[in-house]
């Protein structure tokens, strides 16, 4: 039986998960891969460090060349994270004719074009299932099962931390700040949570999904990104009263005008399947022209789910190797990129603001809405307890464009009858 | 550019859907397949029949040999349905070195072993994504993305007709019979609905999923099957009061004792993701040792979803052809089959029966439960309006085995204090 030698770059959570799966499922993997899999070298910063997993000391190395330049190593698994070094190492590994499996979404979101081109030039595989929604085989599905359909829209809950926070805020009626602190204490949020809570992590994943789904090149700054730190318990409560759940939603849409990619807090009807994706779970909801609506649900992160995705990719590389077809599956974007302007992006909206209790106040608001052809679908008005003479207004609009909403929100702020403008969220899934 | 010639067996709903997709998405498919795809021959019963799709008359044939024995045809797509003829044609096509794509779950559930072996012997591909949950790439995920994990359990809503009926019964509080008649009028149920409503169709799909997920050979009669025709509006109402939704669930479980496959009405907690799979939608919920819980959701049938799955398989065949690896992906079951007995199958249960209002009646029931080590978790008792001196009892049990439940239900029936035994359903997803 053939032996496949693997080199690991990094031995943190995911790396040691890969090691554990390769050991624990050794027999089954041997059958599936029709090969024995051996981890020959592992690049680490500190060879002496105590580790939870027991590994032969001489497998560790501090020299990257012992991994990526070793002629005996067939596949390099990059699980070190970070961008600059990881990029150099992967490019160098590919140029040394190593197949590469990576879980690095930050890197993929920025350099997938360069990495995939280099892989193709060197007849090497480059797989990255673990980079988006770890436990969900979504990349594979976009490349394979949905390949004969035209994907028109993807909606994703693709960040576990923000979904955990929003789920708890929704279930407990709690405030953002207190849930965030609790999530940090429990290890569901990092001590610097910015990348998660401001939507950047989700934006990276949406770039990767959109590139594959629409076969176009996208950059991170093509994504309009808004996080969850401004969401209040009141927003969630009003949404509930109107039959909606608030989620941080990545949206990628493609129509005749072009493509929109965005990440923002959005309201979904309570009976939409994405509304019951709770806690740290992820899901991607896909609209295909022929297939209609499908959803992929699963753990978005975690040691074993992510490591499982990495090992599945590894098995694919080995199967390709048996068949002598490595590098032939690399798909480069083949459509020209065309982004929509804010005026071309339509949806319904949820607006919330505070209005002075004066004669003619509401008609000034409706005049402003009229100016932008925006019309009201539902409305809740009630007097503010803590502020005499001020009423809170919550409304949902009919479909309108993003430019109009931005203009209305900023003009509302400068109307003399408006006390405060609180929120403007998109409504999706209706 | 290479031309791939395709022969269709059958030109009903799915067949004409395949034809439409190949035409409408011609350019994209050409790019993805790196080949032009031509439908050269279509086997039909009646060449003269008027059809919704316009097709060159000379493409139709009534002779199967013009499809499966034509040396120019590369791939045969079987979408005629039925078992005996379809089996003969596919076997013959494989022996003529044609790759085969089929949507035929009835056939696969009975003869997958024979068909896959014949495919492997002839270095041919045999793909069947469309046979289970049309629009959901579940087969591909079991073969690919989840391949490095050990699957321990699959729960599936895999029949659209029954899910549509149960959804409407749940939402409207309506009776089975009236919803069924309405579903028949609307085309969601066939005029003879037996195969759907008695769980047979779901059982076939569970055989296909289990064979792949556990890599064992299964027969249709390994599946304990119960349909939905006995479910009443009262069952659904009581389940609701206890926080559950009733679904027709296919369950396949694998542990150290062996495998259980069954299809039966089951109660799921309302916040379980499968509970919000409504109408004709399907979903498969998978437990993997490493990956944890994932769910695949989408349309279970329908012309275009099913045809999309067929075309995706066709693209895979063509890609394999370019790489010269057809037939190498065929995976035959490699584990010995070991089925569990009813005594080894554990879950919680929902029981409903009517008890005479006599002194000591309830203690006879608890004595019976005690005899089988069955204990009560929740209980609702209330007097029956339409029958003086009789109370209705609804209870949920703690985990117990199927043999005990069957024994209790049959002994309850013969207790003199019991007026009637109404239902015994499994509880899952807790």
């Amino acid at each position: 039986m053939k032996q496949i030698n693997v080199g690991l770059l990094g031995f943190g959570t995911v790396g040691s998960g890969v090691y554990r799966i390769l050991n624990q499922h050794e027999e089954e993997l041997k059958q599936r891969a029709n090969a024995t899999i051996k981890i020959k070298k592992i690049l680490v910063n500190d060879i002496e460090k105590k580790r939870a997993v027991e590994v032969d000391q001489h497998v560790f190395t501090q020299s990257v060349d012992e991994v990526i330049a070793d002629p005996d190593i067939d596949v390099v698994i990059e699980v070190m994270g970070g961008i600059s070094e990881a990029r150099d190492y992967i490019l160098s590994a590919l140029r040394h004719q190593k197949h590469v499996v990576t879980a690095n979404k930050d890197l993929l979101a920025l350099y997938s074009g360069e990495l995939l081109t280099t892989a193709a030039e060197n007849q090497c595989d480059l797989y990255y299932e673990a980079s988006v929604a770890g436990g969900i085989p979504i990349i594979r599905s976009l490349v394979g099962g949905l390949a004969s359909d035209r994907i028109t829209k993807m909606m994703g809950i693709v960040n576990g931390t923000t979904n955990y926070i929003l789920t708890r805020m929704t279930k407990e009626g709690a405030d953002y700040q207190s849930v965030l602190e609790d999530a940090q204490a429990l290890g569901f949020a990092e001590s610097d949570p910015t990348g998660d809570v401001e939507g950047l992590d989700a934006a990276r994943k949406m770039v990767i999904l959109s590139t594959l789904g629409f076969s176009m090149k996208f950059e991170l700054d093509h994504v309009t990104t808004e996080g969850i730190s401004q969401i209040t318990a009141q927003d969630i409560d009003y949404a509930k009263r109107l039959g909606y759940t608030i989620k941080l939603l990545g949206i990628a849409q493609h129509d005749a005008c072009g493509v929109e990619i965005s990440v923002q807090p959005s309201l979904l009807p309570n009976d939409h399947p994405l509304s019951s994706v709770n806690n740290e779970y992820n899901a991607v909801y896909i609209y295909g022209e022929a297939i209609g609506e499908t959803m992929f649900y699963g753990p978005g992160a975690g040691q074993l789910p992510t490591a499982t995705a990495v090992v599945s990719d590894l098995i694919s590389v080995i199967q390709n190797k048996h068949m002598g077809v490595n590098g032939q599956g690399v798909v480069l974007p083949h459509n020209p990129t065309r982004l929509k302007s804010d005026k071309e992006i339509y949806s319904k909206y949820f607006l919330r603001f505070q209005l002075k209790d004066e004669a003619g106040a509401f008609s000034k608001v409706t005049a402003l809405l009229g100016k932008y052809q925006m019309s009201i679908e539902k409305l809740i008005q009630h007097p503010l307890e803590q502020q005499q003479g001020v009423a809170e207004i919550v409304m949902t609009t009919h479909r309108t464009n993003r430019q109009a909403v931005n203009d209305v929100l900023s003009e509302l702020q400068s109307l003399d009858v408006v006390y405060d403008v609180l929120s403007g969220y998109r409504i999706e899934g209706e």
Side-chain angles (χ1 to χ4, degrees), chain A:
Chain A
M1 186 172 271
K2 201 168 179 164
Q3 176 169 310
I4 299 292
N5 293 313
V6 173
L8 280 185
L9 302 176
F11 202 64
T13 310
V14 179
S16 48
V18 169
Y19 191 91
R20 276 176 59 191
I21 292 180
L22 290 178
N23 274 295
Q24 282 171 11
H25 295 202
E26 195 181 345
E27 273 312 305
E28 277 131 314
L29 291 173
K30 206 188 275 181
Q31 254 170 342
R32 284 191 181 126
N34 194 23
T36 54
I37 301 170
K38 190 188 160 192
I39 296 191
K40 201 180 166 208
K41 280 289 168 195
I42 304 176
L43 177 70
V44 290
N45 284 325
D46 175 7
I47 290 183
E48 307 300 327
K49 189 174 161 187
K50 284 253 170 235
R51 300 174 192 278
V53 187
E54 210 168 303
V55 181
D56 232 340
Q57 200 66 7
H58 71 268
V59 170
F60 290 121
T61 174
Q62 287 170 309
S63 150
V64 67
D65 282 342
E66 285 194 28
V67 183
I68 59 183
D70 179 342
D72 286 346
I73 284 183
D74 306 282
V75 186
V76 170
I77 296 179
E78 184 274 306
V79 282
M80 53 191 273
I83 294 179
S84 164
E85 267 189 337
R87 176 186 171 210
D88 291 344
Y89 293 173
I90 291 181
L91 288 172
S92 172
L94 290 168
R95 292 190 187 116
H96 280 93
Q97 258 79 42
K98 312 295 176 206
H99 310 294
V100 173
V101 175
T102 172
N104 195 327
K105 60 179 172 292
D106 304 10
L107 184 63
L108 260 297
L110 292 174
Y111 298 109
S112 72
E114 179 190 32
L115 296 169
L116 289 167
T117 306
T118 308
E121 283 167 4
N122 291 280
Q123 284 90 53
C124 283
D125 286 332
L126 173 66
Y127 282 109
Y128 50 98
E129 182 64 72
S131 66
V132 180
I136 313 175
I138 179 69
I139 304 283
R140 213 172 269 270
S141 299
L142 286 175
V143 174
L146 300 167
S148 57
D149 199 0
R150 248 181 234 154
I151 292 170
T152 54
K153 186 172 179 180
M154 297 183 273
M155 298 200 296
I157 295 174
V158 288
N159 177 274
T161 302
T162 47
N163 201 41
Y164 175 84
I165 293 173
L166 288 176
T167 300
R168 286 199 47 194
M169 286 176 71
T170 303
K171 291 199 170 159
E172 299 164 20
D175 259 330
Y176 170 74
Q177 195 55 40
S178 69
V179 175
L180 171 63
E181 281 162 21
D182 212 35
Q184 285 172 318
L186 292 166
F188 283 108
E190 297 188 37
S191 56
D192 176 3
T194 319
D196 290 314
V197 301
E198 297 308 341
L200 199 70
D201 174 79
R204 290 192 185 112
K205 291 163 178 168
M206 293 311 294
V207 166
I208 298 174
L209 291 179
S210 306
T211 302
L212 273 175
F214 306 144
S215 201
M216 292 180 193
K217 272 176 94 165
F218 296 108
E219 317 286 334
L220 201 47
D221 62 11
H222 293 159
V223 189
T224 307
T225 305
E226 187 190 335
I228 65 162
S229 57
Q230 303 305 316
I231 301 175
T232 63
Q234 289 73 41
D235 287 330
I236 291 177
D237 183 53
Y238 279 116
K240 247 187 220 174
R241 286 201 231 171
L242 294 165
Y244 297 105
T245 305
I246 301 188
K247 293 286 183 191
L248 183 68
L249 219 57
I251 297 174
Q253 286 199 80
H254 184 200
D255 62 23
C257 293
V259 170
E260 175 222 345
I261 316 177
S262 57
V263 169
Q264 71 265 291
S266 307
L267 277 69
L268 287 159
N270 287 335
D271 63 354
H272 192 281
L274 282 173
S275 289
S276 45
V277 175
N278 286 323
N279 301 315
E280 72 279 20
Y281 276 87
N282 282 15
V284 181
Y285 203 89
I286 295 178
Y287 297 76
E289 255 181 28
I291 215 167
E293 306 177 20
T294 58
M295 183 173 87
F296 299 81
Y297 164 98
Q303 183 184 45
L304 289 182
T306 309
T308 301
V310 168
V311 174
S312 290
D313 280 350
L314 173 62
I315 302 287
S316 296
V317 169
I318 298 172
Q319 286 169 340
N320 289 347
K321 212 173 153 61
H322 288 310
M323 305 190 278
V325 298
N326 294 108
Q328 295 188 32
V330 173
V331 185
L332 292 167
H334 54 248
N335 295 324
T337 306
R338 157 111 175 62
L339 290 170
K340 284 189 182 188
S341 73
D342 280 352
K343 277 196 178 161
E344 295 171 311
I345 299 169
Y346 278 79
S347 61
K348 294 170 63 176
Y349 274 84
F350 165 97
L351 307 179
R352 190 174 149 232
F353 53 92
Q354 296 174 338
L355 197 61
K356 292 179 190 158
D357 210 353
E358 292 173 9
F362 204 80
S363 73
K364 286 191 185 172
V365 171
T366 52
L368 174 60
L369 297 179
K371 179 175 155 195
Y372 290 98
Q373 276 105 47
M374 204 181 287
S375 61
I376 300 172
E377 189 189 54
K378 289 179 200 160
L379 184 92
I380 300 176
Q381 164 166 4
H382 80 98
L384 213 59
E385 272 171 38
Q386 61 274 37
Q387 182 70 39
Q388 190 92 43
V390 175
E392 185 142 291
I393 309 283
V394 176
M395 59 170 68
T396 62
T397 72
H398 287 290
R399 277 168 69 79
T400 178
N401 67 69
R402 181 148 75 190
Q403 186 61 54
V405 171
N406 291 343
D407 290 343
V408 162
L409 287 173
S410 89
E411 290 193 33
L412 264 181
Q413 193 74 70
S414 56
L415 278 187
D416 56 354
V417 294
V418 168
Y419 184 77
D420 202 1
V421 176
L422 300 166
S423 11
Y425 301 130
R426 201 155 156 166
I427 300 175
E428 284 290 335
E430 281 188 322

